[in-house]
Amino acid sequence: MTGRMGRAAAVCGALGLLWWATVRLVWAGVGCSDWDCLAPALGTLLVISLVMLAGTAFALERVDVRPGWRAAPVTAWAAVAFWAAGKTLPSWPSTAAHAVGAAAVFAASGAVAAFVTGPGPSLWWKVPTALALTGVPVGVLAAAWFGIGG
């Protein structure tokens, strides 16, 4: 199981770094400060993210983390959960720190997805992990709503 999680973390970490660099290029290319370009820019980012999700499924299959089509959406959801949790942390002015953070979030997400979708762990481990991933964004939103932590 640790080999499966390690392979998923390595692949997803590299894809996270690629996603971060692509998003940075898109935002730099758009370069407008008007609301009129927000919809096309966000649409482009959505397309990039969906292509990366499909690429994640393919890449996970290639490194023997099967089924990739099931692990990739779990990876995406875990990345959203970790991203939401990261919003409670202070912001970094360095773009290198953002790149490392994106790679780390994607790597952790891949490892969690490999664990949750793997054949080894029992439901006693998978269900609480899945519930925790679902609860993190809800908890962060609740903390923001009630002004906890900041």
Side-chain angles (χ1 to χ4, degrees):
M1 180 52 70
T2 56
R4 175 184 167 93
M5 290 172 62
R7 289 189 308 272
V11 165
C12 290
L15 288 173
L17 194 57
L18 178 63
W19 176 85
W20 175 83
T22 307
V23 167
R24 295 273 302 170
L25 285 173
V26 166
W27 279 114
V30 169
C32 69
S33 60
D34 193 10
W35 285 99
D36 292 338
C37 67
L38 184 62
L42 290 178
T44 305
L45 295 180
L46 179 64
V47 168
I48 289 169
S49 298
L50 290 175
V51 167
M52 283 300 216
L53 180 64
T56 300
F58 178 75
L60 288 174
E61 287 279 340
R62 293 305 229 173
V63 295
D64 204 26
V65 178
R66 292 190 173 95
W69 59 269
R70 193 172 64 186
V74 175
T75 301
W77 180 251
V80 168
F82 291 142
W83 171 80
K87 286 299 179 185
T88 61
L89 299 174
S91 179
W92 294 87
S94 169
T95 57
H98 288 202
V100 169
V105 163
F106 275 73
S109 301
V112 168
F115 175 78
V116 171
T117 61
S122 69
L123 283 177
W124 290 106
W125 287 104
K126 290 180 180 184
V127 170
T129 303
L131 290 174
L133 286 177
T134 303
V136 168
V138 173
V140 170
L141 287 173
W145 180 266
F146 293 113
I148 299 171

